[in-house]
């Protein structure tokens, strides 16, 4: 799977075109008509959720999803089991088994976490990261991003722009939207607002708010390696060092700041032994 930033998360503002797609030529007049029609296209929360669900279903089929007895799934369910409903959203969680460091949430409430992220973040840090992703959904960033992705997929496929209903997309177009989810970019304002949502999520649920600063510090340290996916992330996200300082300032203002020490990380499935009942002693 293509490497992407773990704070990309959901969601789809720009759709990367392949070389093959770049060669498509609809003609200026035809393209203009489509764009003008799509500009006035109404796109509801229900539309965003429907398309997101279809795109995630496609992504689930093309990635290795951890099974119910896998250690990654067990850990994720333990951490987020009580957060199936959050901020009016109905959420479902799965793990993609890949070394990539990423996570995303979509408008239908699907949350996907990469095992590579779970290998480097403890429980509280995962809560901070995924809280950020849920923030994009709660703030409707994902709806706007999905609308933009649909416009692009519809234009590429020459879907009629005159209908006020979303068209059924082809398998290929759903794949394009899935790629857009992984390559999504949000404005710095949206990222900052999602950071604030994450902090309040931790605080509201009585988790350690200092884990947010610690998560950004891990990202900042990783960026020192100069990997391609972090270079890409840095171009569209606020500096992780600055975000870490902002998270620290929030905690200080609330009187909750204390240096964070990362907890142990265990993604292995631990079998629970059924206690063996001893036979009652025979009476003499």
């Amino acid at each position: 799977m293509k490497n992407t930033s773990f704070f990309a998360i959901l969601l789809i503002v720009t759709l990367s075109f392949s070389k093959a797609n770049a060669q498509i030529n609809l003609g200026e007049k035809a393209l203009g008509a489509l764009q003008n029609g799509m500009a006035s296209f109404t796109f509801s929360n229900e539309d965003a959720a429907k398309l997101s669900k279809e795109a995630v279903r496609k992504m689930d089929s093309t990635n290795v999803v951890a099974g119910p007895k896998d250690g990654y799934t067990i850990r994720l369910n333990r951490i987020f089991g009580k957060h199936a409903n959050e901020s009016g959203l109905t959420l479902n969680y799965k793990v993609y088994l890949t070394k990539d460091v990423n996570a995303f949430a979509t408008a239908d409430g699907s949350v996907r976490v990469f095992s590579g992220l779970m290998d480097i973040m403890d429980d509280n840090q995962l809560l901070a990261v995924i809280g950020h992703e849920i923030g994009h959904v709660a703030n409707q960033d994902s709806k706007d991003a999905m609308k933009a992705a649909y416009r692009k997929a519809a234009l590429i496929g020459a879907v009629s722009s005159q209908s006020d209903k979303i068209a059924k997309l082809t398998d290929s177009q759903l794949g394009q939207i899935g790629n857009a989810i992984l390559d999504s970019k949000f404005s710095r304002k949206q990222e900052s607002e999602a950071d604030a949502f994450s902090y309040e999520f931790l605080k509201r649920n009585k988790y350690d708010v200092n884990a947010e600063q610690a998560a950004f510090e891990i990202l900042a340290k990783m960026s020192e390696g100069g990997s391609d996916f972090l270079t890409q992330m840095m171009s569209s996200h606020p500096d992780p060092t600055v975000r870490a300082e902002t998270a620290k300032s929030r905690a200080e203002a609330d009187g909750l700041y204390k240096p964070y020490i990362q907890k142990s990380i265990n993604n292995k499935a631990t079998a629970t032994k059924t206690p063996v009942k001893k036979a009652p002693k025979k009476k003499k």
Side-chain angles (χ1 to χ4, degrees):
M1 177 178 290
K2 180 181 178 182
N3 283 332
T4 57
S5 151
F6 70 74
F7 280 110
I9 329 173
L10 205 287
L11 304 159
I12 337 170
V13 174
T14 36
L15 181 63
S16 299
F17 292 93
S18 66
K19 291 183 179 179
N21 287 334
Q23 294 172 353
I24 294 176
N25 183 3
L26 297 176
E28 290 186 7
K29 291 184 178 179
L31 182 60
L34 284 170
Q35 289 175 329
N36 289 335
M38 293 295 286
S40 59
F41 177 73
T42 56
F43 195 82
S44 66
N45 289 332
E46 290 73 21
D47 292 332
K50 179 181 178 181
L51 284 177
S52 295
K53 186 175 183 179
E54 292 177 358
V56 171
R57 185 184 297 118
K58 170 68 176 176
M59 294 176 72
D60 287 352
S61 70
T62 56
N63 287 280
V64 180
V65 179
K69 295 183 179 180
D70 189 285
Y72 287 103
T73 300
I74 293 172
R75 181 186 173 203
L76 189 66
N77 288 340
R78 174 174 57 78
I79 301 171
F80 286 96
K82 64 179 180 179
H83 297 298
N85 295 284
E86 184 65 38
S87 300
L89 305 171
T90 301
L91 307 171
N92 67 88
Y93 301 87
K94 290 184 181 181
V95 179
Y96 287 171
L97 296 177
T98 170
K99 65 181 180 180
D100 297 344
V101 177
N102 204 348
F104 64 85
T106 56
D108 69 311
S110 295
V111 180
R112 299 296 180 263
V113 185
F114 292 19
S115 59
L117 176 64
M118 297 182 70
D119 287 336
I120 64 172
M121 297 275 183
D122 70 16
D123 292 358
N124 288 325
Q125 291 162 341
L126 283 175
L127 284 160
V129 171
I130 299 175
H132 170 102
E133 299 311 324
I134 295 172
H136 280 306
V137 181
N139 295 338
Q140 297 201 21
D141 301 338
S142 56
K143 174 194 171 184
D144 296 338
M146 181 59 74
K147 181 177 182 180
Y150 175 75
R151 283 178 174 175
K152 289 181 180 294
L155 287 172
I156 292 171
V159 174
S160 172
S161 63
Q162 303 306 313
S163 173
D164 61 353
K165 304 291 184 182
I166 59 172
K168 181 176 178 59
L169 298 184
T170 65
D171 194 62
S172 175
Q173 288 170 322
L174 289 175
Q176 292 166 10
I177 288 182
N179 287 334
I181 288 176
L182 294 177
D183 293 334
S184 63
K185 295 181 178 66
F186 294 101
S187 70
R188 297 197 173 215
K189 180 175 181 292
Q190 289 173 322
E191 294 292 354
S192 296
E193 289 175 346
D195 289 349
F197 181 96
S198 177
Y199 178 86
E200 292 302 326
F201 167 76
L202 294 173
K203 180 181 175 182
R204 181 173 64 253
N205 289 288
K206 302 187 184 306
Y207 296 121
D208 190 341
V209 296
N210 297 287
E212 184 176 29
Q213 177 197 5
F216 285 126
E217 287 177 341
I218 289 176
L219 179 60
K221 186 174 181 179
M222 290 178 66
S223 68
E224 295 174 1
S227 62
D228 291 340
F229 87 92
L230 281 173
T231 299
Q232 179 183 353
M233 181 279 297
M234 291 291 287
S235 67
S236 60
H237 289 70
D239 188 318
T241 301
V242 173
R243 297 169 84 177
E245 287 300 317
T246 301
K248 178 180 178 180
S249 297
R250 288 193 181 104
E252 288 175 333
D254 286 337
L256 299 173
Y257 175 73
K258 60 181 178 180
Y260 188 81
I261 300 175
Q262 189 180 53
K263 311 301 186 295
S264 62
I265 298 171
N266 182 8
N267 292 308
K268 295 181 180 179
T270 54
T272 56
K273 294 182 179 180
T274 302
V276 178
K277 293 184 178 180
K278 294 181 179 180
K281 292 181 179 180
K282 292 182 179 180
K283 294 182 178 179
K284 293 182 180 180

